[in-house]
Coordinates of all heavy atoms in Angstrom, one line a residue:
M1 N 114.8 174.2 103.6 CA 115.7 173.8 102.5 C 116.7 172.8 103.0 O 117.2 172.8 104.1 CB 116.4 175.1 102.1 CG 117.4 174.8 101.0 SD 118.1 176.4 100.4 CE 119.3 175.7 99.3
V2 N 116.9 171.8 102.2 CA 117.8 170.7 102.5 C 119.2 171.1 102.1 O 119.4 171.7 101.1 CB 117.4 169.4 101.7 CG1 118.4 168.3 101.9 CG2 116.0 169.0 102.0
H3 N 120.1 170.8 103.0 CA 121.5 171.1 102.7 C 122.0 170.4 101.5 O 121.8 169.2 101.4 CB 122.4 170.7 104.0 CG 123.8 171.3 103.9 ND1 124.8 170.7 103.2 CD2 124.3 172.4 104.5 CE1 125.9 171.4 103.4 NE2 125.6 172.4 104.2
P4 N 122.7 171.1 100.6 CA 123.2 170.4 99.3 C 124.0 169.2 99.5 O 124.0 168.2 98.8 CB 123.9 171.5 98.6 CG 123.5 172.8 99.2 CD 123.1 172.5 100.6
T5 N 124.9 169.2 100.6 CA 125.7 168.1 100.8 C 124.9 166.8 101.2 O 125.1 165.7 100.7 CB 126.8 168.4 101.9 OG1 127.5 169.5 101.6 CG2 127.7 167.2 102.2
L6 N 123.9 167.1 102.1 CA 123.0 166.0 102.5 C 122.3 165.4 101.3 O 122.1 164.2 101.1 CB 122.1 166.4 103.6 CG 121.1 165.4 104.1 CD1 121.8 164.2 104.7 CD2 120.1 166.0 105.1
L7 N 121.8 166.3 100.4 CA 121.0 165.9 99.3 C 121.9 165.1 98.3 O 121.5 164.1 97.8 CB 120.4 167.2 98.5 CG 119.5 166.9 97.3 CD1 118.3 166.1 97.8 CD2 119.1 168.2 96.7
G8 N 123.2 165.6 98.2 CA 124.1 164.8 97.3 C 124.4 163.4 97.9 O 124.5 162.5 97.1
A9 N 124.6 163.3 99.2 CA 124.9 162.0 99.8 C 123.7 161.1 99.7 O 123.8 159.9 99.4 CB 125.2 162.2 101.3
V10 N 122.5 161.6 99.9 CA 121.3 160.8 99.7 C 121.1 160.4 98.3 O 120.8 159.2 98.0 CB 120.0 161.6 100.2 CG1 118.7 160.8 99.9 CG2 120.1 161.8 101.7
G11 N 121.4 161.3 97.3 CA 121.3 160.9 95.9 C 122.3 159.8 95.5 O 121.9 158.9 94.8
M12 N 123.5 159.9 96.0 CA 124.5 158.9 95.7 C 124.1 157.6 96.4 O 124.3 156.5 95.8 CB 125.9 159.3 96.2 CG 126.5 160.4 95.4 SD 126.7 159.9 93.7 CE 128.0 158.7 93.9
A13 N 123.6 157.6 97.6 CA 123.2 156.4 98.2 C 122.1 155.7 97.4 O 122.1 154.5 97.3 CB 122.7 156.6 99.7
G14 N 121.1 156.5 96.9 CA 120.1 155.9 96.1 C 120.6 155.3 94.8 O 120.2 154.2 94.4
I15 N 121.6 155.9 94.2 CA 122.2 155.3 93.0 C 123.0 154.0 93.4 O 122.8 153.0 92.7 CB 123.2 156.3 92.4 CG1 122.5 157.5 91.8 CG2 124.1 155.7 91.3 CD1 123.3 158.7 91.4
L16 N 123.7 154.0 94.5 CA 124.4 152.8 94.9 C 123.4 151.7 95.2 O 123.6 150.5 94.8 CB 125.3 153.1 96.1 CG 126.4 154.0 95.8 CD1 127.2 154.3 97.1 CD2 127.4 153.4 94.8
L17 N 122.3 152.0 95.9 CA 121.3 151.0 96.2 C 120.6 150.4 95.0 O 120.4 149.2 94.8 CB 120.3 151.5 97.2 CG 120.9 151.7 98.6 CD1 119.8 152.4 99.5 CD2 121.3 150.5 99.2
V18 N 120.3 151.3 94.0 CA 119.6 150.9 92.8 C 120.5 150.0 92.0 O 120.1 149.0 91.4 CB 119.1 152.1 92.0 CG1 118.6 151.7 90.7 CG2 118.0 152.8 92.8
G19 N 121.8 150.3 91.9 CA 122.7 149.6 91.1 C 123.2 148.3 91.7 O 123.9 147.5 91.1
A20 N 123.0 148.1 93.0 CA 123.5 146.9 93.7 C 122.6 145.7 93.4 O 121.4 145.8 93.3 CB 123.5 147.2 95.2
P21 N 123.2 144.6 93.2 CA 122.4 143.3 93.0 C 121.7 143.0 94.2 O 122.1 143.2 95.3 CB 123.5 142.3 92.6 CG 124.7 142.8 93.2 CD 124.7 144.3 93.2
A22 N 120.6 142.3 94.0 CA 119.8 141.9 95.2 C 120.5 140.8 95.9 O 121.2 140.0 95.3 CB 118.4 141.3 94.7
P23 N 120.5 140.8 97.3 CA 121.2 139.8 98.0 C 120.6 138.4 97.7 O 119.4 138.2 97.5 CB 121.0 140.2 99.5 CG 119.8 141.0 99.5 CD 119.7 141.7 98.1
S24 N 121.5 137.4 97.7 CA 121.1 136.1 97.4 C 121.2 135.3 98.7 O 122.3 135.3 99.3 CB 121.9 135.4 96.3 OG 121.6 134.1 96.2
W25 N 120.2 134.5 99.1 CA 120.3 133.8 100.4 C 120.6 132.3 100.1 O 120.6 131.5 101.0 CB 119.0 133.9 101.1 CG 118.7 135.3 101.5 CD1 117.7 136.1 101.0 CD2 119.4 136.1 102.5 NE1 117.8 137.4 101.6 CE2 118.8 137.4 102.5 CE3 120.5 135.8 103.3 CZ2 119.3 138.4 103.3 CZ3 121.0 136.9 104.1 CH2 120.4 138.1 104.1
S26 N 120.8 132.0 98.8 CA 121.2 130.6 98.5 C 122.6 130.6 97.9 O 123.0 131.6 97.3 CB 120.2 130.0 97.6 OG 120.2 130.7 96.4
D27 N 123.2 129.5 98.1 CA 124.5 129.3 97.5 C 124.4 128.2 96.4 O 124.0 127.1 96.8 CB 125.5 128.9 98.6 CG 126.9 128.8 98.1 OD1 127.1 128.1 97.0 OD2 127.9 129.3 98.7
P28 N 124.7 128.5 95.2 CA 124.5 127.5 94.1 C 125.3 126.2 94.4 O 124.8 125.1 94.0 CB 124.9 128.1 92.8 CG 125.6 129.4 93.2 CD 125.2 129.7 94.6
V29 N 126.4 126.2 95.0 CA 127.2 125.0 95.3 C 126.6 124.3 96.5 O 126.3 123.1 96.4 CB 128.7 125.4 95.6 CG1 129.4 124.1 96.0 CG2 129.3 126.0 94.4
L30 N 126.3 124.9 97.6 CA 125.7 124.3 98.7 C 124.3 123.8 98.5 O 123.9 122.8 99.1 CB 125.8 125.2 100.0 CG 127.2 125.5 100.5 CD1 127.1 126.5 101.6 CD2 127.9 124.2 101.0
D31 N 123.6 124.5 97.7 CA 122.2 124.2 97.4 C 122.0 123.3 96.2 O 120.9 123.1 95.7 CB 121.3 125.4 97.3 CG 121.2 126.1 98.7 OD1 121.4 125.5 99.7 OD2 121.0 127.3 98.7
S32 N 123.1 122.7 95.7 CA 122.9 121.8 94.5 C 122.2 120.6 95.0 O 122.1 120.3 96.2 CB 124.3 121.5 94.0 OG 125.0 120.6 94.9
P33 N 121.7 119.7 94.1 CA 120.9 118.5 94.6 C 121.7 117.7 95.5 O 121.2 117.1 96.5 CB 120.6 117.8 93.2 CG 120.6 118.9 92.2 CD 121.6 119.9 92.7
A34 N 123.0 117.6 95.3 CA 123.9 116.7 96.2 C 124.0 117.3 97.6 O 124.3 116.6 98.5 CB 125.2 116.5 95.6
N35 N 123.8 118.7 97.7 CA 124.0 119.4 98.9 C 122.8 120.1 99.3 O 122.8 121.1 100.0 CB 125.2 120.3 98.9 CG 126.5 119.6 98.7 OD1 126.7 118.6 99.3 ND2 127.4 120.1 97.8
G36 N 121.6 119.7 98.8 CA 120.4 120.5 99.0 C 119.8 120.3 100.4 O 120.5 119.7 101.3
P37 N 118.6 120.8 100.7 CA 118.0 120.8 102.0 C 117.9 119.4 102.5 O 118.1 119.2 103.7 CB 116.7 121.4 101.8 CG 116.8 122.2 100.6 CD 117.8 121.5 99.7
N38 N 117.6 118.4 101.7 CA 117.5 117.0 102.2 C 118.8 116.5 102.7 O 118.9 115.8 103.7 CB 116.9 116.1 101.1 CG 115.5 116.4 100.9 OD1 114.8 116.9 101.7 ND2 115.0 116.1 99.7
H39 N 119.9 116.9 102.0 CA 121.2 116.4 102.3 C 121.6 117.1 103.7 O 122.2 116.4 104.6 CB 122.2 116.8 101.3 CG 123.7 116.4 101.6 ND1 124.1 115.1 101.6 CD2 124.7 117.2 101.9 CE1 125.4 115.1 101.9 NE2 125.8 116.3 102.1
R40 N 121.3 118.4 103.8 CA 121.6 119.1 105.1 C 120.8 118.5 106.2 O 121.4 118.3 107.3 CB 121.4 120.6 104.9 CG 122.5 121.3 104.2 CD 122.4 122.8 104.4 NE 121.1 123.3 103.9 CZ 121.0 123.9 102.7 NH1 122.0 124.0 101.9 NH2 119.8 124.4 102.4
A41 N 119.6 118.2 106.0 CA 118.8 117.5 107.0 C 119.3 116.2 107.5 O 119.3 115.9 108.7 CB 117.3 117.4 106.5
Q42 N 119.9 115.5 106.5 CA 120.5 114.2 106.8 C 121.7 114.4 107.6 O 122.0 113.7 108.6 CB 120.8 113.4 105.5 CG 121.4 112.1 105.7 CD 121.8 111.4 104.4 OE1 121.8 112.0 103.4 NE2 122.1 110.1 104.5
L43 N 122.5 115.4 107.3 CA 123.8 115.7 108.1 C 123.4 116.1 109.5 O 124.1 115.7 110.4 CB 124.6 116.7 107.4 CG 125.2 116.3 106.0 CD1 125.9 117.5 105.4 CD2 126.2 115.2 106.2
V44 N 122.4 116.9 109.6 CA 122.0 117.4 111.0 C 121.5 116.2 111.8 O 121.9 116.0 113.0 CB 120.9 118.4 110.9 CG1 120.2 118.7 112.2 CG2 121.4 119.7 110.3
G45 N 120.7 115.3 111.2 CA 120.3 114.1 111.9 C 121.4 113.2 112.3 O 121.4 112.7 113.4
Q46 N 122.4 113.1 111.4 CA 123.6 112.3 111.8 C 124.4 112.9 112.9 O 124.8 112.2 113.9 CB 124.5 112.1 110.6 CG 123.9 111.2 109.5 CD 124.8 111.3 108.2 OE1 125.7 112.0 108.1 NE2 124.4 110.4 107.3
F47 N 124.5 114.2 112.9 CA 125.2 114.9 114.0 C 124.5 114.7 115.3 O 125.1 114.4 116.3 CB 125.3 116.4 113.7 CG 126.0 117.2 114.8 CD1 127.4 117.2 114.9 CD2 125.2 117.9 115.7 CE1 128.0 117.9 116.0 CE2 125.8 118.6 116.7 CZ 127.2 118.6 116.9
L48 N 123.1 114.9 115.3 CA 122.4 114.8 116.5 C 122.3 113.4 117.0 O 122.3 113.2 118.3 CB 121.0 115.4 116.3 CG 120.9 116.9 116.1 CD1 119.5 117.3 115.8 CD2 121.4 117.6 117.3
D49 N 122.3 112.4 116.1 CA 122.4 111.0 116.6 C 123.7 110.7 117.2 O 123.8 110.0 118.2 CB 122.2 110.1 115.4 CG 120.8 110.0 114.9 OD1 119.9 110.5 115.6 OD2 120.6 109.5 113.7
A50 N 124.8 111.3 116.7 CA 126.1 111.0 117.2 C 126.4 111.8 118.5 O 127.2 111.4 119.3 CB 127.2 111.4 116.2
H51 N 125.6 112.9 118.7 CA 125.8 113.8 119.9 C 124.4 114.0 120.5 O 123.9 115.1 120.4 CB 126.5 115.1 119.5 CG 127.7 114.9 118.7 ND1 128.9 114.5 119.3 CD2 128.0 114.9 117.4 CE1 129.9 114.4 118.4 NE2 129.3 114.6 117.2
P52 N 123.8 113.0 121.2 CA 122.4 113.2 121.7 C 122.3 114.3 122.7 O 121.1 114.7 123.0 CB 122.1 111.8 122.2 CG 123.4 111.2 122.5 CD 124.4 111.7 121.5
D53 N 123.3 114.7 123.4 CA 123.2 115.7 124.4 C 123.5 117.1 123.9 O 123.8 118.0 124.7 CB 124.2 115.4 125.6 CG 123.8 114.1 126.3 OD1 122.6 113.8 126.3 OD2 124.7 113.4 126.8
T54 N 123.4 117.3 122.6 CA 123.5 118.6 122.0 C 122.2 119.0 121.4 O 121.3 118.2 121.1 CB 124.6 118.6 120.9 OG1 124.3 117.7 119.9 CG2 126.0 118.2 121.5
A55 N 122.1 120.3 121.1 CA 120.9 120.8 120.4 C 121.4 121.9 119.4 O 122.5 122.5 119.5 CB 119.9 121.4 121.4
L56 N 120.5 122.2 118.5 CA 120.8 123.3 117.5 C 119.7 124.4 117.6 O 118.6 124.1 117.9 CB 120.7 122.7 116.1 CG 121.6 121.5 115.8 CD1 121.3 120.9 114.4 CD2 123.1 121.8 116.0
Y57 N 120.2 125.6 117.4 CA 119.2 126.7 117.4 C 119.2 127.2 115.9 O 120.3 127.4 115.4 CB 119.7 127.8 118.3 CG 118.8 129.0 118.3 CD1 117.6 129.0 119.0 CD2 119.2 130.1 117.6 CE1 116.7 130.1 118.9 CE2 118.3 131.2 117.5 CZ 117.1 131.2 118.2 OH 116.3 132.3 118.2
E58 N 118.1 127.3 115.4 CA 118.0 127.8 114.0 C 117.3 129.2 114.0 O 116.4 129.5 114.8 CB 117.1 126.9 113.1 CG 117.8 125.6 112.9 CD 117.1 124.7 111.9 OE1 116.5 125.3 111.0 OE2 117.2 123.5 112.0
W59 N 117.8 130.0 113.1 CA 117.2 131.4 112.9 C 117.2 131.6 111.4 O 118.1 131.4 110.7 CB 118.1 132.4 113.6 CG 117.5 133.8 113.5 CD1 116.5 134.3 114.3 CD2 117.8 134.8 112.6 NE1 116.2 135.6 114.0 CE2 117.0 135.9 112.9 CE3 118.8 134.9 111.6 CZ2 117.1 137.1 112.2 CZ3 118.9 136.1 110.9 CH2 118.0 137.2 111.2
A60 N 116.0 132.0 110.9 CA 115.8 132.3 109.5 C 116.2 131.1 108.6 O 116.7 131.2 107.6 CB 116.6 133.5 109.1
G61 N 115.9 129.9 109.1 CA 116.1 128.7 108.3 C 117.6 128.2 108.3 O 117.9 127.3 107.6
R62 N 118.4 128.8 109.1 CA 119.8 128.4 109.2 C 120.2 128.1 110.6 O 119.7 128.7 111.5 CB 120.7 129.5 108.6 CG 120.5 130.0 107.2 CD 121.2 129.1 106.3 NE 121.0 129.6 104.9 CZ 121.7 129.1 103.9 NH1 122.5 128.1 104.1 NH2 121.5 129.6 102.7
I63 N 121.1 127.2 110.8 CA 121.6 126.9 112.1 C 122.5 128.1 112.5 O 123.4 128.5 111.8 CB 122.5 125.6 112.1 CG1 121.6 124.4 111.7 CG2 123.1 125.4 113.5 CD1 122.4 123.1 111.4
S64 N 122.2 128.6 113.7 CA 123.1 129.7 114.2 C 123.8 129.4 115.5 O 124.7 130.1 115.8 CB 122.2 131.0 114.4 OG 121.2 130.7 115.4
R65 N 123.4 128.3 116.2 CA 124.1 127.9 117.4 C 124.0 126.4 117.5 O 123.1 125.7 117.2 CB 123.3 128.4 118.6 CG 123.1 129.9 118.7 CD 124.3 130.6 119.4 NE 124.0 132.0 119.7 CZ 123.9 133.0 118.8 NH1 124.1 132.8 117.5 NH2 123.7 134.3 119.2
V66 N 125.1 125.8 118.1 CA 125.2 124.4 118.5 C 125.6 124.5 119.9 O 126.5 125.2 120.3 CB 126.3 123.7 117.7 CG1 126.3 122.2 118.1 CG2 126.0 123.8 116.2
Y67 N 124.8 123.8 120.8 CA 125.1 123.9 122.2 C 124.8 122.6 122.9 O 124.1 121.7 122.3 CB 124.3 125.0 122.9 CG 122.8 124.9 122.7 CD1 122.0 124.3 123.7 CD2 122.2 125.4 121.6 CE1 120.7 124.2 123.6 CE2 120.8 125.3 121.4 CZ 120.0 124.7 122.4 OH 118.7 124.6 122.3
G68 N 125.3 122.4 124.1 CA 125.1 121.2 124.9 C 126.4 120.6 125.3 O 127.4 121.3 125.4
A69 N 126.4 119.3 125.5 CA 127.6 118.6 125.9 C 128.6 118.7 124.8 O 128.4 119.0 123.7 CB 127.2 117.1 126.1
A70 N 129.9 118.5 125.2 CA 131.0 118.6 124.3 C 130.8 117.8 123.0 O 130.4 116.6 123.1 CB 132.3 118.2 125.0
F71 N 130.9 118.4 121.9 CA 130.7 117.7 120.6 C 131.9 117.8 119.7 O 131.8 117.4 118.5 CB 129.4 118.3 119.9 CG 129.4 119.8 119.9 CD1 130.1 120.5 118.9 CD2 128.7 120.5 120.9 CE1 130.1 121.9 118.9 CE2 128.6 121.9 120.9 CZ 129.3 122.6 119.9
S72 N 133.0 118.3 120.2 CA 134.2 118.3 119.4 C 135.4 118.3 120.4 O 135.3 118.8 121.5 CB 134.3 119.6 118.5 OG 135.4 119.6 117.7
H73 N 136.5 117.7 120.0 CA 137.6 117.6 120.8 C 138.9 117.8 120.0 O 138.9 117.6 118.8 CB 137.7 116.2 121.4 CG 136.5 115.8 122.2 ND1 136.2 116.2 123.4 CD2 135.4 115.0 121.8 CE1 135.1 115.8 123.8 NE2 134.5 115.0 122.9
G74 N 139.9 118.3 120.7 CA 141.2 118.5 120.0 C 142.3 118.8 121.0 O 142.0 119.0 122.2
A75 N 143.5 119.0 120.6 CA 144.6 119.3 121.5 C 144.5 120.7 122.1 O 145.0 120.9 123.1 CB 145.9 119.2 120.7
S76 N 143.8 121.6 121.4 CA 143.5 122.9 121.9 C 142.1 123.3 121.5 O 141.5 122.6 120.7 CB 144.5 123.9 121.4 OG 144.3 124.1 120.0
A77 N 141.7 124.4 122.0 CA 140.3 125.0 121.6 C 140.3 125.2 120.1 O 139.3 125.0 119.4 CB 140.0 126.2 122.4
V78 N 141.4 125.8 119.6 CA 141.5 126.1 118.2 C 141.4 124.8 117.4 O 140.7 124.8 116.4 CB 142.7 127.0 117.9 CG1 142.9 127.1 116.4 CG2 142.6 128.3 118.6
D79 N 142.2 123.8 117.8 CA 142.2 122.5 117.1 C 140.8 121.9 117.1 O 140.3 121.4 116.1 CB 143.2 121.6 117.7 CG 143.3 120.3 117.0 OD1 143.5 120.3 115.7 OD2 143.2 119.2 117.6
S80 N 140.1 122.0 118.3 CA 138.8 121.4 118.4 C 137.8 122.1 117.4 O 137.0 121.5 116.7 CB 138.3 121.6 119.8 OG 137.0 121.1 119.9
A81 N 137.9 123.5 117.4 CA 137.0 124.2 116.5 C 137.3 123.9 115.1 O 136.4 123.8 114.2 CB 137.2 125.7 116.8
E82 N 138.5 123.8 114.7 CA 138.9 123.4 113.3 C 138.4 122.1 112.9 O 137.9 121.8 111.8 CB 140.4 123.6 113.1 CG 140.9 123.3 111.7 CD 140.4 124.2 110.6 OE1 139.7 125.3 111.0 OE2 140.6 124.0 109.5
Q83 N 138.5 121.1 113.8 CA 138.0 119.8 113.6 C 136.5 119.8 113.4 O 136.0 119.1 112.5 CB 138.4 118.8 114.7 CG 139.9 118.4 114.7 CD 140.3 117.8 113.4 OE1 139.7 116.9 112.9 NE2 141.4 118.3 112.8
F84 N 135.8 120.5 114.2 CA 134.4 120.7 114.1 C 134.0 121.3 112.7 O 133.1 120.8 112.0 CB 133.8 121.5 115.2 CG 132.3 121.8 115.0 CD1 131.4 120.8 115.4 CD2 131.8 122.9 114.5 CE1 130.0 121.0 115.3 CE2 130.5 123.1 114.3 CZ 129.6 122.1 114.7
R85 N 134.7 122.3 112.3 CA 134.5 123.0 111.0 C 134.7 122.0 109.9 O 133.9 121.9 109.0 CB 135.4 124.2 110.9 CG 135.1 125.0 109.6 CD 136.2 126.1 109.3 NE 137.5 125.5 109.0 CZ 137.8 125.1 107.8 NH1 137.0 125.2 106.8 NH2 139.0 124.6 107.6
L86 N 135.8 121.3 109.9 CA 136.1 120.3 108.8 C 135.0 119.2 108.8 O 134.7 118.8 107.7 CB 137.5 119.8 109.0 CG 138.6 120.7 108.8 CD1 140.0 120.1 109.2 CD2 138.7 121.2 107.4
N87 N 134.6 118.8 109.9 CA 133.7 117.6 109.9 C 132.2 118.0 109.7 O 131.4 117.1 109.3 CB 133.8 116.9 111.3 CG 135.2 116.2 111.4 OD1 135.8 115.9 110.4 ND2 135.6 116.1 112.6
H88 N 131.8 119.2 110.1 CA 130.4 119.5 110.1 C 129.9 120.8 109.4 O 128.8 121.2 109.5 CB 129.9 119.6 111.6 CG 130.2 118.3 112.4 ND1 129.6 117.1 112.1 CD2 131.1 118.1 113.3 CE1 130.1 116.2 112.9 NE2 131.0 116.7 113.7
A89 N 130.8 121.4 108.7 CA 130.5 122.7 108.1 C 129.3 122.6 107.1 O 128.4 123.5 107.0 CB 131.7 123.3 107.3
A90 N 129.2 121.5 106.4 CA 128.1 121.3 105.4 C 126.7 121.3 106.0 O 125.8 121.7 105.3 CB 128.3 120.0 104.7
M91 N 126.6 121.0 107.3 CA 125.2 121.0 107.9 C 124.7 122.4 108.1 O 123.5 122.7 108.3 CB 125.1 120.2 109.1 CG 125.7 120.8 110.3 SD 125.4 119.7 111.8 CE 126.1 120.7 113.1
F92 N 125.6 123.4 108.0 CA 125.2 124.8 108.2 C 124.7 125.4 106.9 O 124.1 126.5 107.0 CB 126.4 125.6 108.7 CG 126.7 125.3 110.2 CD1 127.6 124.3 110.5 CD2 126.1 126.0 111.2 CE1 127.8 124.0 111.8 CE2 126.4 125.7 112.5 CZ 127.2 124.7 112.8
G93 N 124.9 124.8 105.8 CA 124.4 125.3 104.6 C 125.1 126.4 103.9 O 125.9 127.0 104.1

């Protein structure tokens, strides 16, 4: 016999999962024609041309790592990261 509390929890989880919207892997703003895959590919190409000693690692069709020689500079590590985010966020999609 299944414990009633466990059965209730499983039943509620089923209701929550059934009622939840399906996850979306696309962003309507980022994937608009102006920011679509071709635009992102162009941005990636520009980044790699400007930083030839860097490389990108992609997982599931998205960039998940940027590595190699220094590709961003700033007064501090935080400033450098913020400059990178402002200048290159669009290539991540």
Side-chain angles (χ1 to χ4, degrees):
M1 179 173 172
V2 177
H3 192 278
T5 304
L6 178 61
L7 185 59
V10 171
M12 286 301 291
I15 290 170
L16 292 174
L17 290 175
V18 170
S24 173
W25 298 109
S26 64
D27 184 314
V29 173
L30 291 174
D31 291 336
S32 70
N35 295 318
N38 290 334
H39 180 70
R40 283 195 300 262
Q42 181 181 15
L43 293 174
V44 167
Q46 290 171 353
F47 177 80
L48 293 174
D49 287 345
H51 307 283
D53 295 330
T54 61
L56 307 174
Y57 178 80
E58 291 189 30
W59 185 78
R62 300 276 184 171
I63 299 169
S64 62
R65 305 269 193 285
V66 179
Y67 59 95
F71 46 83
S72 183
H73 304 281
S76 68
V78 171
D79 184 51
S80 178
E82 181 64 6
Q83 288 302 312
F84 177 81
R85 184 188 69 83
L86 292 172
N87 294 332
H88 304 293
M91 75 176 186
F92 288 88

